[in-house]
Amino acid sequence: MTSGRLRVEVSAQASALVDRLVALALRGLPLMYRSDREEFAFTRAADTGGSNGDGAASIRASSAELRGSSTRYAAIVALGSQFLDADDQRRILGGRTTGEFVELLVKRLPQTRNLGDVALVCWAAAEANQSVLPPALTRLREIDDGDRPQYVVEAAWVLAALTAMRKLVDVEAALERARRRLLASQVPGSPLFPHATGAGLLPWYRSHISCYADQVYPIQALA
């Protein structure tokens, strides 16, 4: 497999694993789609059927309920589904193609106040429906206050979105600011990233703790 100047050799074992995971996603994602909200659920949980006699809750394996909804999960699905054929896209996205679904997400951006959600929708627009990129980028510029600390994961998504856009529109100045913000957040003397890009966002007892996602998404964006 070749991408630009980089040639990647994929083993048969790795290829088979990817095929298995894609098949798993194709089975699971339609179960996560909320047609009432035209979004994806935050989680799908087994239904508990009350006490089983010894005080513990029994679980009904045959039923599950969708809880909440997530704009960021919807955008992440769009980033992946763009690589599927149109029939599989429609099966996952409630009858829409990826481009049509991204257009729906962009139309909702004026009401979206979370920086990470907006960034992911912008990223999806840059990859899957460039016709709706201008209003998406406008909303990102409105909501990204460079003077305030942000969650590292969301700051990484901003950088990834701008990187995807740079082949389409001039975002070099914003991209460089996003890159500097992310790199400046690294823990002094350590290769690790914290949970937030600066002080003031988290309470003192949480500020020294980061998670797996805080490392993975900056690496992905900076790469």
Side-chain angles (χ1 to χ4, degrees), residues 82-96:
Q82 64 173 309
F83 298 105
L84 302 173
D85 61 42
D87 288 341
D88 281 335
Q89 290 177 18
R90 292 189 177 94
R91 185 154 61 89
I92 291 173
L93 300 170
R96 290 182 171 86

Side-chain angles (χ1 to χ4, degrees), residues 1-10:
M1 180 171 65
T2 304
S3 176
R5 292 175 297 174
L6 178 64
R7 180 174 178 82
V8 180
E9 298 293 341
V10 180

Side-chain angles (χ1 to χ4, degrees), residues 40-170:
F40 282 83
F42 186 78
T43 188
R44 185 169 185 261
D47 183 25
T48 56
S51 174
N52 61 9
D54 61 1
S58 62
I59 296 177
R60 298 172 186 169
S62 61
S63 62
E65 60 180 2
L66 298 179
R67 297 178 183 173
S69 61
S70 173
T71 298
R72 62 183 54 187
Y73 288 174
I76 289 171
V77 172
L79 283 167
S81 65
Q82 64 173 309
F83 298 105
L84 302 173
D85 61 42
D87 288 341
D88 281 335
Q89 290 177 18
R90 292 189 177 94
R91 185 154 61 89
I92 291 173
L93 300 170
R96 290 182 171 86
T97 64
T98 301
E100 292 166 347
F101 188 65
V102 169
E103 182 176 1
L104 174 66
L105 295 179
V106 171
K107 287 180 178 178
R108 294 173 174 173
L109 282 185
Q111 291 76 47
T112 305
R113 301 184 181 279
N114 180 274
L115 176 62
D117 292 359
V118 174
L120 283 169
V121 173
C122 285
W123 187 359
E127 298 287 3
N129 189 343
Q130 297 166 11
S131 68
V132 295
L133 182 56
L137 178 56
T138 296
R139 182 57 177 155
L140 181 63
R141 287 169 171 162
E142 291 172 348
I143 200 171
D144 188 9
D145 182 353
D147 295 330
R148 290 190 300 112
Q150 304 290 349
Y151 290 108
V152 160
V153 165
E154 296 178 0
W157 287 337
V158 171
L159 179 58
L162 291 169
T163 301
M165 291 181 210
R166 72 188 307 188
K167 61 183 180 292
L168 306 168
V169 293
D170 182 9

